[in-house]
Amino acid sequence: RATEEVQAWCLELASVEGSQRATANAAQEEAVAGAKALAEEEAAAACVALVARERLEAEVLAERRGRLEERWTLAQAACSQRGALEGELEEERRARVREEGRSATLN
């Protein structure tokens, strides 16, 4: 009779140990799945942050390019205006030289 009780107790202990092992395995699998999900969420958040930063940098570069193009246009206009003014001054100088030459010839 004692042997039967010991055998029953051993079977019950084995059943409890098996149940504990299954519970521990399930908990471990759940922890691994949770860690993977967290890693995926963190990776997705990092990607979103990277895309946002890249967009911001692109906007800043576009604004800078716009300002540079505007300055380039203004510089080209200033150069054209300078060239026109230099041409006018040269014409006035030539006219003065011609006038002085005529005056000298008449005197």
Side-chain angles (χ1 to χ4, degrees), residues 28-83:
Q28 183 179 7
E29 288 175 9
E30 188 176 328
V32 167
K36 285 181 181 178
L38 181 60
E40 288 173 358
E41 287 177 18
E42 289 175 352
C47 286
V48 168
L50 179 62
V51 168
R53 191 178 85 221
E54 293 294 328
R55 284 182 181 162
L56 180 61
E57 287 179 9
E59 288 175 12
V60 168
L61 289 174
E63 287 176 16
R64 185 178 297 155
R65 178 181 177 172
R67 288 192 304 269
L68 288 173
E69 287 175 348
E70 184 177 322
R71 287 171 57 192
W72 175 255
T73 301
L74 291 173
Q76 285 179 320
C79 287
S80 295
Q81 188 177 17
R82 178 180 175 187

Side-chain angles (χ1 to χ4, degrees), residues 6-25:
V6 170
Q7 286 178 344
W9 184 75
C10 286
L11 288 174
E12 187 178 336
L13 181 60
S15 172
V16 168
E17 286 177 352
S19 177
Q20 286 175 337
R21 238 181 270 117
T23 302
N25 287 342

